[in-house]
C-alpha cells in the first residue's frame, strides 16, 4: 500500500512513455488513469491507517548513499503530514488524469502528455514522502523538470518554450538557496536525515556560521528555496506564464504539486523553524505581502487562467504567513482545502475554454451560462469556496489563518492580518468579476463561436462534480482533525510546536469581530463585483479612465518583468555577448587560430622558394657564395 501509492504513477509514466505509440492513444491514456486510480486507493488507505488510525510508518527501500560521513537511506516516511499530501496528490491527480482524457482527446501526442503528467505526480509523491533532504531534493528537482516539460508541452509555440524556460530558470534561483540550506544543515548537524536533525535541533541553537546563528540561516535559506517553488514575491514571475501549458497541467501545478512543495517544506522543517524567530518573521512579511500583491493584480487581468493563477499566488501567501506566525497545522489545512477548489476552478476554466473554442479572454465571453449549466454551477461552488463564504471549504481554512495572524499579537502578525483582510476583499471581487464577465451579460464573442458553445463531455464533468463535493465538504469534515479538538491525536507529532508556541490555542480565543471580518469583506467584494459588472457595467471603464496609471501598474503586474529585464536579463545578455565576441571568438578561438594562420603563412612563403627551376637554384647558390666570401673578407680585414 505505501509503496504502491508512490510507484503506480511511475509505472503508468513508464508504460505510456516507452510503449504509448505501440499501445495507441486510448490504451495509453487509460493505462495511466488506471495506475492513478490504484495509487489513489493506496493513498487514501494510507491516510486512514496513518492519520486516522494513528500508525505512522517508515518504509526502508534501500541504502542510497554511503560516502564518508554522509549516509542516506531511500525511505518512504509516512507520518500524518506526508500522508495528507499523498492522499490529496493521488486523489486530485487521478481526477485531473480522467479530465484530461476528454480535454486532450484531439491532441497529436497523447501518450507523451500522459507520461509527463504521471511523472509529475510521481516526483511530487517522492518529495512529500522523503525521509531526508537528499531524497526531498530529488523530488524537488523532479517536479521542476516535469513542470518544464509540461509548461512547454506545445513546443511548437514560442511562447510556451519561453514560459517553460522562465519557470526553469527562476526556480533554479530558489534552488540555489535550497542547496545552500541543505549544505549548512549537514555542516551543522552532521546528517541530512530528518530523525537525526529534528532530535538534535535544541542542542545546536547556539551554533553560528560566519557570525550568524546557524538555525536562523538554515531557516532563511530553506524559505528562499521555497519561494521559488511556491512563487512568493520576488520569485513569482514564472507562475502566470506557466498558463501556456494545457489547462490540466495548470490545475496539477496549482492544486496538488509544484507550488505546494514550498509550503510542505516549511511545515516539514517546523522543528527547525520553531527555533528561528527571525526567519519566521521574514516568512510572515513575505507571505502577507504576496497575498496582497497577487490579489491586486488578479483584479485587472483578462485571461481566465491567469486570474486563477494569481489567485493561487495569493492563497500561497496566506499559507506562508500562517507558517510565519507558527500555525503550521492551519497552513497545511488551507493547502488541503485549497487543492480541491483550485483544481475545480482551473478545470472549470478549461471547460469554459473548451466550450468557447479555445478562447481565454473573459472580455470576449458572456451570456453562456444557459449553454454550459454544469460548468456554471461548479464555477459558482469553486468561487464560493475561494471567497471564504460560510459552509464552503475556504471559509474554515482561510478564516483560521486570519485568526491565527491576529492571535499572534505581534507587529508582523498585525501586518499579516491587515494584508489578509484586504486580500480577502479583493479575492471575492476578482472571483465574481471572472464569474460575471464569463457567464453573464450580453454575448461578446463572435457569432460563429457562440453557435458552437457546448457543455463538456461526461469524462470532464465527473471530475468537476467530485471536486465540487470536496470544495464544499473538506473544510467542515476535516477542520476538527487539522485544527480542532482532535488536532493532537490527528498529527501525532508530525508537526512540531515549541513550548513557547501557543498559537493553536490562542486563535480559538480571538474576538468575535475577527472571526466575522473575513465573511463581511468577502460579501462586500462580491457585492462590489455585482455592481460593477451586472448593475452598472460602464462604471469600471469610467473609473479606469480616471485611475489609468494605477490600472496600468496593476495590469503590467507591478512591472516586475520589466524590472528584472532591466536589472538581470539585459546585463546578462550584454555580458554573454562580450564573452562570445571577445572571450570566445577573439581569445579562445583567436589565439590558436592565429597561430595556425601564422604557420600557414610561413608555409606558403617557404613554398614560393621551391620553384623547381635550375636557374633559380643556381642564382641562390651564387648569392650564397657572394655572401660567404663577403663575410670571410670582412672578418679577415677586421682581424688585420
Amino acid at each position: 500500500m505505501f509503496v504502491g501509492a508512490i510507484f503506480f504513477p511511475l509505472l503508468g509514466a513508464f508504460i505510456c512513455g516507452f510503449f504509448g505509440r505501440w499501445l495507441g492513444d486510448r490504451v495509453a491514456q487509460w493505462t495511466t488513469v488506471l495506475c492513478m486510480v490504484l495509487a489513489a486507493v493506496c493513498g487514501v488507505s494510507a491516510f486512514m491507517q496513518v492519520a486516522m488510525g494513528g500508525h505512522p510508518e517508515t518504509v526502508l527501500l534501500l541504502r542510497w548513499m554511503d560516502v564518508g560521513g554522509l549516509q542516506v537511506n531511500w525511505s518512504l516516511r509516512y507520518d500524518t503530514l506526508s500522508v495528507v499530501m499523498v492522499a490529496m496528490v493521488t486523489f486530485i491527480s487521478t481526477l485531473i488524469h480522467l479530465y484530461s482524457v476528454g480535454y486532450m482527446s484531439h491532441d497529436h501526442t497523447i501518450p507523451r502528455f500522459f507520461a509527463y503528467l504521471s511523472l509529475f505526480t510521481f516526483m511530487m509523491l517522492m518529495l512529500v514522502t522523503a525521509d531526508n533532504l537528499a531524497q526531498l531534493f530529488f523530488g524537488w528537482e523532479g517536479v521542476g523538470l516535469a513542470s518544464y516539460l509540461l509548461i512547454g508541452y506545445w513546443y511548437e509555440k514560442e511562447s510556451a518554450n519561453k514560459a517553460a524556460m522562465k519557470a526553469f530558470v527562476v526556480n533554479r534561483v530558489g534552488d540555489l538557496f535550497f542547496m545552500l540550506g541543505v549544505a549548512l544543515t549537514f555542516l551543522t548537524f552532521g546528517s541530512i536525515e530528518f530523525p537525526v536533525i529534528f532530535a538534535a535541533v535544541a542542542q545546536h541553537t547556539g551554533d553560528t556560521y560566519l557570525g550568524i546563528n546557524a538555525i536562523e540561516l538554515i531557516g532563511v535559506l530553506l524559505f528562499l528555496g521555497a519561494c521559488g517553488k511556491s512563487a512568493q514575491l520576488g520569485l513569482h514571475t514564472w507562475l502566470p506564464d506557466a498558463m501556456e501549458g494545457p489547462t490540466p497541467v495548470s490545475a496539477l501545478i496549482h492544486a496538488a504539486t509544484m507550488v505546494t512543495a514550498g509550503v510542505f517544506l516549511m511545515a516539514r522543517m517546523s522543528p527547525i523553524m520553531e527555533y528561528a524567530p527571525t526567519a519566521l518573521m521574514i516568512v510572515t512579511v513575505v507571505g502577507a505581502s504576496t497575498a496582497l500583491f497577487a490579489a491586486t493584480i488578479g483584479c485587472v487581468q483578462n485571461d481566465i487562467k491567469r486570474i486563477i493563477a494569481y489567485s493561487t499566488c495569493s492563497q500561497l501567501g496566506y499559507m506562508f504567513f500562517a507558517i510565519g506566525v507558527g500555525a503550521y497545522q492551519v497552513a497545511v489545512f488551507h493547502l488541503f482545502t485549497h487543492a480541491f477548489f483550485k483544481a475545480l476552478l482551473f478545470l472549470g476554466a478549461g471547460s469554459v475554454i473548451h466550450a468557447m473554442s479555445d478562447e481565454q479572454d473573459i472580455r470576449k465571453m458572456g451570456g453562456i451560462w444557459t449553454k454550459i449549466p454544469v460548468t456554471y454551477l461548479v464555477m459558482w461552488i469553486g468561487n464560493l469556496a475561494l471567497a471564504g463564504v460560510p459552509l464552503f471549504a475556504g471559509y474554515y481554512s482561510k478564516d483560521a489563518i486570519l485568526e491565527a495572524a491576529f492571535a499572534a499579537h505581534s507587529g508582523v502578525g498585525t501586518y499579516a492580518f491587515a494584508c489578509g483582510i484586504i486580500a480577502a476583499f479583493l479575492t471575492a471581487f476578482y472571483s465574481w468579476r471572472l464569474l460575471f464577465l464569463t457567464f453573464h451579460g450580453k454575448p461578446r464573442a463572435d457569432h460563429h463561436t457562440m453557435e458552437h458553445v457546448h457543455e463538456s463531455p461526461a469524462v470532464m464533468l465527473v471530475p468537476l462534480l467530485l471536486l465540487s463535493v470536496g470544495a464544499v465538504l473538506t473544510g467542515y469534515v476535516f477542520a476538527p482533525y487539522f485544527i480542532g479538538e482532535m488536532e493532537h491525536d490527528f498529527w501525532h507529532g508530525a508537526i512540531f510546536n515549541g513550548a513557547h508556541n501557543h498559537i493553536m490555542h490562542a486563535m480559538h480565543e480571538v474576538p468575535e469581530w475577527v472571526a466575522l471580518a473575513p465573511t463581511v469583506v468577502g460579501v462586500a467584494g462580491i457585492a462590489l463585483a455585482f455592481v460593477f459588472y451586472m448593475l452598472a457595467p460602464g462604471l469600471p471603464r469610467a473609473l479606469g479612465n480616471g485611475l489609468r496609471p494605477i490600472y496600468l501598474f496593476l495590469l503590467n503586474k507591478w512591472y516586475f518583468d520589466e524590472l528584472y529585464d532591466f536589472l538581470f536579463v539585459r546585463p546578462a545578455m550584454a555580458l554573454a555577448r562580450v564573452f562570445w565576441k571577445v572571450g570566445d571568438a577573439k581569445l579562445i578561438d583567436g589565439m590558436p587560430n592565429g597561430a595556425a594562420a601564422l604557420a600557414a603563412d610561413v608555409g606558403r612563403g617557404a613554398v614560393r622558394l621551391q620553384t623547381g627551376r635550375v636557374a633559380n637554384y643556381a642564382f641562390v647558390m651564387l648569392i650564397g657564395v657572394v655572401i660567404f666570401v663577403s663575410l670571410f673578407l670582412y672578418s679577415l680585414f677586421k682581424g688585420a
Side-chain angles (χ1 to χ4, degrees), residues 246-495:
T247 301
V249 174
S250 303
L252 194 59
I253 289 176
H254 287 252
T257 61
M258 188 72 169
V259 297
T260 62
V263 179
F264 169 81
L265 174 66
M266 291 290 95
R268 171 59 76 206
M269 304 306 290
S270 58
I272 284 181
M273 301 304 293
E274 281 292 86
Y275 289 95
T278 303
L280 286 177
M281 183 178 66
I282 295 172
V283 173
T284 306
V285 172
V286 173
S289 301
T290 303
L292 180 57
F293 154 79
T296 61
I297 298 176
C299 292
V300 299
Q301 295 299 303
N302 298 309
D303 184 300
I304 188 171
K305 288 170 65 177
R306 282 177 180 260
I307 296 171
I308 304 173
Y310 277 109
S311 168
T312 300
C313 189
S314 181
Q315 297 304 306
L316 289 165
Y318 276 94
M319 299 175 206
F320 273 103
F321 77 69
I323 284 170
V325 299
Y328 309 96
Q329 296 90 329
V330 182
V332 176
F333 183 38
H334 191 50
L335 185 156
F336 181 74
T337 61
H338 174 264
F340 287 89
F341 60 77
K342 189 49 59 71
L344 176 62
L345 286 170
F346 265 113
L347 298 186
S351 186
V352 172
I353 295 168
H354 177 79
M356 295 294 294
S357 304
D358 296 328
E359 180 59 66
Q360 294 184 203
D361 192 332
I362 60 175
R363 294 171 298 181
K364 298 178 182 179
M365 298 180 186
I368 61 173
W369 74 273
T370 56
K371 296 189 176 185
I372 49 174
V374 178
T375 300
Y376 177 61
L377 172 64
V378 299
M379 289 294 283
W380 259 97
I381 294 172
N383 279 326
L384 289 167
L386 176 61
V389 173
L391 304 182
F392 290 85
Y395 166 74
Y396 294 91
S397 57
K398 188 165 73 173
D399 286 23
I401 290 177
L402 292 169
E403 291 166 12
F406 184 88
H409 298 301
S410 63
V412 292
T414 303
Y415 172 74
F417 177 76
C419 288
I421 286 293
I422 299 171
F425 170 77
L426 297 176
T427 299
F429 173 77
Y430 67 65
S431 299
W432 259 259
R433 173 178 176 266
L434 182 151
L435 191 74
F436 293 142
L437 287 178
T438 301
F439 293 99
H440 291 278
K442 294 181 180 179
R444 297 178 295 278
D446 59 76
H447 180 70
H448 176 74
T449 301
M450 291 302 297
E451 279 187 337
H452 291 82
V453 175
H454 59 285
E455 187 60 274
S456 298
V459 73
M460 293 170 64
L461 294 180
V462 169
L464 288 174
L465 294 173
L466 290 175
L467 287 169
S468 296
V469 174
V472 175
L473 295 180
T474 50
Y476 174 76
V477 171
F478 290 102
Y481 297 97
F482 280 80
I483 59 173
E485 60 273 11
M486 290 178 277
E487 169 214 338
H488 184 268
D489 293 333
F490 177 76
W491 288 106
H492 300 291
I495 288 176

Side-chain angles (χ1 to χ4, degrees), residues 147-148 151-170 237-245 306 561 565 569 573:
S147 68
Y148 170 80
I151 293 168
Y153 174 74
W154 285 319
Y155 56 82
E156 65 276 4
K157 293 168 56 181
E158 185 178 359
S159 58
N161 292 326
K162 288 182 176 179
M165 186 59 70
K166 186 176 182 179
F168 198 79
V169 171
V170 173
T237 52
W238 68 269
L239 193 63
D241 289 8
M243 298 304 99
E244 289 291 340
R306 282 177 180 260
D561 284 317
D565 182 67
V569 178
M573 293 293 289

Side-chain angles (χ1 to χ4, degrees), residues 9-27:
L10 180 63
L11 176 64
F14 178 82
I15 294 173
C16 205
F18 288 98
F19 306 103
R21 290 188 178 183
W22 179 72
L23 293 172
D25 291 351
R26 289 298 174 192
V27 175

